[in-house]
Amino acid sequence: QVQLVESGGGLVHPGGSLRLSCAASGTIFTINDMGWYRQAPGKERELVARITRAGITNYANAVKGRFTISRDNAKNGVYLQMNSLKPEDTAVYYCNQEINAIDYWGKGTLVTVSS
């Protein structure tokens, strides 16, 4: 059984920074794409950033230049460095990893940007 565990969410002032982490555990043979999604209250879940096994990244337009996704294949981990945070970044952030050709999701971590 595979599990994803996220950490790093919390309350931050506008302009501040947070770093989210997500680690996979269990019976893992291969991990392909990894990504972060978010869901704000009353809105649908949306892509924030994704990274391929080769390290190719893509970002939502709303976070380009402020967020950076990275991964550590040895640790089955994916990270999201979030800088210059805005109130509209407030959401539950979900980790996603394609493990053994199956999509897995974390339970989410809440990020609140407020003064």
Side-chain angles (χ1 to χ4, degrees), residues 87-110:
E88 51 263 43
D89 294 318
T90 295
V92 177
Y93 284 70
Y94 296 91
C95 170
N96 170 258
Q97 295 193 26
E98 185 189 334
I99 300 172
N100 305 335
I102 299 172
D103 259 347
Y104 288 91
W105 293 87
K107 293 182 179 180
T109 184
L110 177 62

Side-chain angles (χ1 to χ4, degrees), residues 6 20 34-39 45-50 80 91-97 103 105 108-109:
E6 300 124 329
L20 305 183
M34 296 179 172
W36 289 95
Y37 291 72
R38 67 186 181 186
Q39 187 167 17
R45 189 175 298 189
E46 63 177 5
L47 170 71
V48 176
R50 287 193 69 80
L80 187 69
V92 177
Y93 284 70
Y94 296 91
C95 170
N96 170 258
Q97 295 193 26
D103 259 347
W105 293 87
T109 184

Side-chain angles (χ1 to χ4, degrees), residues 53-64:
R53 185 171 180 81
I56 299 170
T57 60
N58 71 287
Y59 296 90
N61 288 335
V63 306
K64 281 181 181 177

Side-chain angles (χ1 to χ4, degrees), residues 10-64:
L11 173 64
V12 63
H13 292 310
S17 298
L18 282 174
R19 185 174 187 259
L20 305 183
S21 299
C22 171
S25 62
T27 304
I28 298 170
F29 299 107
T30 60
I31 303 179
N32 291 319
D33 288 7
M34 296 179 172
W36 289 95
Y37 291 72
R38 67 186 181 186
Q39 187 167 17
K43 295 188 176 181
E44 293 186 354
R45 189 175 298 189
E46 63 177 5
L47 170 71
V48 176
R50 287 193 69 80
I51 183 168
T52 69
R53 185 171 180 81
I56 299 170
T57 60
N58 71 287
Y59 296 90
N61 288 335
V63 306
K64 281 181 181 177

